[in-house]
Amino acid sequence: MSESCSENCASCSQNCEKRDMLLPPNEYSTIKHVIGVVSGKGGVGKSLVTSLLAVAAQSKGFQTAILDADITGPSIPKAFGLHDRAQGDESGIFPMETKMGIRVMSVNLLLEKEDAPVIWRGPVISGMINQFWQEVIWGDIDYMFVDMPPGTGDVPLTVFQSLPLDGIIIVTTPQDLVQMIVKKAYNMAKMMNIPVLGLVENMSYFECPDCKKQYPIFGESKIDEAAKELGVPVLARLPIEPKTAALVDKGAVELADTDKFNAIVDNLPK
């Protein structure tokens, strides 16, 4: 990194690796692998993918955690039915645990009211991400999944610079607009020297429960073409699944089918 570096990677033409900016975790935490889950835009099911990845990994015997970095739109606690406030002591903040034992930290676990808006500017939000990493007593974690807000703004930049990411998974849907924005997320990761582990296409199709015919409600999938162009694998194609949506609404995402995520977990960095 140049001595004149402004730390604004989005406007930088240099291809430098910012490992000297990584922050150490809480002294009572040992986190083996950190995986970011990103999307170019909102509404593609990124938080759902994060949740199901964590459930699949926990089911395989890994101690799993979720750092909810979507500060202004946190949805992870609701998906797992977590509504109490996180506690702490002089050593740090204790993450909440789901029924399966997945450790979770989200801004919604710190607010007095779940529906209170978070009206903060970028630097404050970025500071909260760093606090989640450094001040939460995560304990021994095999895989931490970081649910990031959509886009390529302050929070993804903070996560890419400050956390020791092993790679990211990009979530998309079949629409042309989303496919274009996927490339922005991919290019940002490449600029920051973060490996792209692959693509997950959500809402890929709806399967009729009677005849089992698949209907591409949001258009024909183009994920194979996008993956080939970017040189990354397609990790999964997820259908529109009303049962899963209902479980999320009930705070019972841990009861959802994670079969499509088992192979992804098996191929995560070891």
Side-chain angles (χ1 to χ4, degrees), residues 7 16 33 78 82 88 97 100 110 119 130 134 194-195 200 229 246 249 254 260:
E7 300 186 4
C16 56
H33 300 289
K78 179 175 175 57
L82 299 174
E97 286 199 12
M100 291 181 65
L110 301 175
I119 309 174
N130 291 339
Q134 293 194 293
I194 303 296
V200 171
E229 180 180 348
D249 288 343
E254 288 168 301
K260 291 184 178 293

Side-chain angles (χ1 to χ4, degrees), residues 57-153:
Q58 190 81 6
S59 297
K60 286 179 171 289
F62 297 109
Q63 181 57 63
T64 306
I66 299 177
L67 190 160
D68 188 357
D70 196 349
I71 301 298
T72 59
S75 56
I76 294 295
K78 179 175 175 57
F80 285 93
L82 299 174
H83 302 289
D84 295 331
R85 295 183 67 186
Q87 304 297 314
D89 59 21
E90 65 278 0
S91 300
I93 305 169
F94 299 106
M96 298 291 289
E97 286 199 12
T98 71
K99 292 181 176 64
M100 291 181 65
I102 298 169
R103 296 170 192 170
V104 175
M105 179 49 62
S106 169
V107 72
N108 255 24
L109 301 176
L110 301 175
L111 301 175
E112 290 188 11
K113 294 184 178 181
E114 290 181 326
D115 57 358
V118 177
I119 309 174
W120 298 342
R121 295 191 182 276
V124 179
I125 293 176
S126 296
M128 178 60 73
I129 302 303
N130 291 339
Q131 283 185 287
F132 283 174
W133 175 250
Q134 293 194 293
E135 297 183 19
V136 173
I137 304 172
W138 294 102
D140 294 329
I141 299 296
D142 296 309
Y143 287 105
M144 172 181 283
F145 297 98
V146 182
D147 183 28
M148 284 194 263
T152 56

Side-chain angles (χ1 to χ4, degrees), residues 12-27:
C12 180
S13 62
Q14 300 298 314
N15 187 24
C16 56
E17 188 168 0
K18 299 200 152 203
R19 290 302 179 189
D20 54 335
M21 296 180 66
L22 295 180
L23 298 176
N26 179 280
E27 62 177 313

